[in-house]
Amino acid sequence: MKILKILDKYLICFVLTAVALFQLYNSQFDGLNPWKGGGFGMFSTNKKNNITAIGYTSEGDSVLIKIVGSKLDIPISNNFLRNLKYYPKKEGLLKLGKLILNSHLKPSLLNISEGDIDSKSYNQIKKDSAFYSKVYVPKYYPNTELAKMDNALRIEKIIIHMYEMNFYNDGLKFKKNYVQSLEVHNDKHITYVLSP
Amino acid sequence: MIQKLYSYLNRYNVHLDSKHEDLVFKFSLMLLVLDGGTGWNSQILLRITCILMIVFGHFSSNKLLWAIISVVLLFFNSLQWYSLDNHKILFMYWVFLLTLHLWLNKDVRYIKSNATLLIGLVMIFAVLQKVINEFFVPGFLHGRFLFDGRFLLITHFLTDIPIEELHMKKGLVPTLSWLPIDQSYIEFESSSFLNNFTYGFQLFGLFVELAVGLLFIFSKRKSVIKDISLIAFCIGTYFIFPVIGFSSILLLLGIAQAPLKIRPHYILTFIAIQFIKVPWKEIIYYFENV
């Protein structure tokens, strides 16, 4: 009875505690950003999830994809993408892959100069300059003619690579570390999830 | 029809026993108008409902309208739970609490004791998260001062690194985020002074947060030390970290639990906190370079 009385008196505080503990578990073991989800971890870490993607055309060419959301919810909603970045669950990543597969990708030039990024990565970009010279943005077109005019293309497979970005005081580096990958095909199934 | 709705709603009006409760309800409605919603849909609903409740004062403690506000908040917040700021979540708990207060005919002590505990819990969880995420080692705040746009002018003042250079480096972070290259990084420039300053501030902030949390959980109800610590925390922290939403809800909770003699100090702090919006960093920068 005493427990019921305490529960009656402090129900909301118990709810806050339960949600915060659940958030703590998810942020430590399931990729949820500590800043979000009701655990009061704002301003506690610089760690953030990072989602990158490479698309593959039917001819076998690979293209670098810039994942951006849209206010108009076409093809990727800002809200959906924001939620996914803070808590990248497999179902959400699969949905993201399918949204990109079902949209056109518009190319734009990508310019990375020496000094913008670490020298090892810069050399890799230079070595693979055809791949890194353009970045493709998912875009909605009402018809394929308009897409063709923009040189937009479609892909049949996408690999989403997950990273964790963090600031390292030693060396003052903002660095990304690989976590895992997810492959999504046009016939709407995942073939495999790569381990780190 | 409006007359019918008016008399129907009137049935759910609750008479508040004290001016303190009235102040808390009206203050909460005002914050709901200013910062309650999380998107256009909830903002429109909340602004219309809460403005009418403030204007027609006898509806400010209408239990049906508070229940509707609770449902609206719960529905729209749950749609974007994982991108929601924590102060919006805390505010939602607070609205639930006020709704329960009305429906369960609780007295003012219910509001006071829960507000005290909510402040304590929020502070303790904030500390716990920081401890778990290695906040004791230098780096967190140093990093924020190098790539978070809100702090770049302060970094410029403290290090003399040109602001254009700081913005240029910050602008490289999105590019890095598109590249599928493991171990790729951007290197920042800083000074040992900024490193020491940010680390000192980081540890000081953690200590103050812990102190506020412990004082609110363990000190006596009428103790004013806890109130002084919370007011000092709000003024000291939120003029550097421009997050007016969190300071506002903390001060509202402060008003709700404080004894009469302390309440004006919370209200004055609430007024002072509004000056966070003054772009003082930009003004200093302007006069430095004019």
Side-chain angles (χ1 to χ4, degrees):
Chain A
M1 286 308 278
K2 202 180 172 188
I3 291 172
L4 283 178
K5 263 189 177 174
I6 294 172
L7 199 65
D8 173 54
K9 196 175 175 189
Y10 293 111
L11 178 66
I12 298 299
C13 295
F14 281 113
V15 173
L16 180 146
T17 307
V19 172
L21 289 173
F22 183 66
Q23 189 276 356
L24 256 175
Y25 174 83
N26 284 332
S27 64
Q28 291 306 307
F29 303 109
D30 202 24
L32 171 62
N33 188 309
W35 286 55
K36 300 292 176 181
F40 302 98
M42 56 281 172
F43 289 101
S44 66
T45 177
N46 286 322
K47 255 185 232 171
K48 57 191 267 189
N49 299 311
N50 173 230
I51 305 169
T52 66
I54 300 175
Y56 296 85
T57 64
S58 51
E59 290 83 32
D61 295 329
S62 56
V63 294
L64 179 62
I65 298 170
K66 176 181 168 183
I67 301 171
V68 286
S70 155
K71 271 186 188 171
L72 301 170
D73 292 1
I74 299 170
I76 303 166
S77 137
N78 269 340
N79 265 349
F80 163 71
L81 192 59
R82 218 176 11 245
N83 274 312
L84 187 66
K85 281 182 177 172
Y86 286 122
Y87 198 9
K89 294 181 108 173
K90 194 176 162 187
E91 305 81 53
L93 291 169
L94 181 60
K95 184 180 167 188
L96 175 71
K98 286 180 178 170
L99 285 170
I100 297 173
L101 281 174
N102 290 320
S103 69
H104 281 90
L105 295 167
K106 184 190 171 188
S108 59
L109 291 176
L110 178 64
N111 243 327
I112 297 172
S113 312
E114 199 168 3
D116 284 357
I117 198 165
D118 64 288
S119 55
K120 195 179 162 201
S121 304
Y122 181 70
N123 288 337
Q124 191 176 330
I125 289 167
K126 252 174 76 178
K127 200 173 144 195
D128 205 356
S129 58
F131 174 75
Y132 285 107
S133 63
K134 282 180 192 163
V135 61
Y136 289 76
V137 180
K139 189 169 160 51
Y140 167 76
Y141 289 96
N143 56 58
T144 42
E145 280 69 37
L146 282 172
K148 270 183 191 166
M149 282 166 68
D150 262 355
N151 291 323
L153 51 81
R154 294 194 79 128
I155 50 170
E156 67 167 19
K157 181 179 94 175
I158 182 169
I159 300 183
I160 295 170
H161 297 289
M162 293 290 308
Y163 294 87
E164 185 186 86
M165 293 170 93
N166 201 357
F167 177 77
Y168 297 89
N169 208 43
D170 186 20
L172 302 179
K173 291 170 184 168
F174 194 68
K175 191 173 176 182
K176 58 201 289 180
N177 295 301
Y178 175 77
V179 180
Q180 64 176 15
S181 302
L182 184 71
E183 186 171 318
V184 186
H185 279 251
N186 225 351
D187 50 2
K188 296 177 185 175
H189 70 269
I190 314 168
T191 49
Y192 53 87
V193 179
L194 296 170
S195 306
Chain B
M1 191 190 156
I2 290 174
Q3 194 59 41
K4 267 187 182 174
L5 180 69
Y6 189 84
S7 52
Y8 179 76
L9 283 176
N10 254 328
R11 274 190 257 164
Y12 292 94
N13 279 350
V14 174
H15 175 72
L16 298 174
D17 296 331
S18 65
K19 282 186 177 172
H20 182 199
E21 283 169 282
D22 191 47
L23 173 73
V24 169
F25 274 84
K26 287 195 172 136
F27 223 108
S28 304
L29 285 170
M30 190 189 67
L31 273 192
L32 278 166
V33 173
L34 293 174
D35 194 25
T38 43
W40 60 269
N41 29 31
S42 59
Q43 267 169 10
I44 291 170
L45 283 170
L46 288 174
R47 282 183 187 179
I48 292 171
T49 314
C50 299
I51 285 174
L52 289 175
M53 285 167 79
I54 294 169
V55 172
F56 300 99
H58 52 291
F59 284 123
S60 63
S61 53
N62 182 292
K63 59 182 182 182
L64 183 63
L65 291 174
W66 276 97
I68 291 169
I69 293 171
S70 296
V71 172
V72 167
L73 276 179
L74 181 64
F75 176 75
F76 288 104
N77 284 352
S78 61
L79 292 180
Q80 39 194 317
W81 186 260
Y82 291 117
S83 56
L84 214 56
D85 287 338
N86 283 306
H87 76 271
K88 301 260 181 185
I89 295 173
L90 178 60
F91 200 15
M92 189 178 71
Y93 295 143
W94 180 245
V95 169
F96 291 170
L97 187 102
L98 294 183
T99 308
L100 285 179
H101 173 81
L102 294 174
W103 281 90
L104 303 175
N105 294 318
K106 300 280 189 186
D107 62 20
V108 71
R109 282 173 299 178
Y110 181 73
I111 289 180
K112 283 185 177 181
S113 55
N114 274 284
T116 310
L117 195 52
L118 281 174
I119 296 170
L121 284 171
V122 166
M123 291 295 178
I124 292 298
F125 272 113
V127 170
L128 188 61
Q129 288 268 7
K130 287 181 173 76
V131 171
I132 289 173
N133 288 300
E134 299 172 347
F135 204 77
F136 282 117
V137 294
F140 167 73
L141 210 51
H142 197 191
R144 291 242 74 91
F145 271 61
L146 293 175
F147 61 76
D148 189 330
R150 293 173 291 183
F151 306 115
L152 292 188
L153 271 172
I154 304 178
T155 308
H156 165 69
F157 299 144
L158 294 175
T159 61
D160 276 342
I161 299 172
I163 189 70
E164 296 79 13
E165 203 172 300
L166 292 166
H167 275 292
M168 190 271 290
K169 281 283 179 190
K170 177 192 162 273
L172 293 172
V173 173
T175 311
L176 181 73
S177 69
W178 312 329
L179 299 175
I181 305 175
D182 189 25
Q183 304 290 308
S184 53
Y185 62 86
I186 298 166
E187 213 168 338
F188 289 87
E189 272 179 54
S190 184
S191 67
S192 54
F193 173 72
L194 184 69
N195 182 37
N196 297 336
F197 172 81
T198 49
Y199 186 43
F201 196 76
Q202 186 174 315
L203 291 180
F204 178 71
L206 184 70
F207 170 76
V208 174
E209 244 175 7
L210 179 66
V212 175
L214 292 177
L215 282 169
F216 268 85
I217 288 179
F218 295 111
S219 67
K220 286 180 182 165
R221 198 170 58 82
K222 287 191 175 169
S223 151
V224 293
I225 301 168
K226 63 181 189 327
D227 298 296
I228 293 168
S229 70
L230 181 62
I231 289 171
F233 174 79
C234 286
I235 292 173
T237 310
Y238 292 122
F239 270 97
I240 292 183
F241 295 91
V243 279
I244 199 161
F246 216 103
S247 50
S248 302
I249 176 71
L250 280 179
L251 289 169
L252 168 64
L253 295 180
I255 291 167
Q257 57 77 45
L260 183 62
K261 60 178 179 179
I262 298 292
R263 264 173 247 158
H265 299 282
Y266 275 109
I267 294 172
L268 283 174
T269 311
F270 182 82
I271 293 167
I273 285 292
Q274 303 311 309
F275 289 90
I276 287 176
K277 292 275 185 189
V278 174
W280 58 271
K281 289 168 282 188
E282 286 77 3
I283 292 170
I284 294 172
Y285 183 75
Y286 174 79
F287 283 109
E288 245 188 11
N289 293 281
V290 72

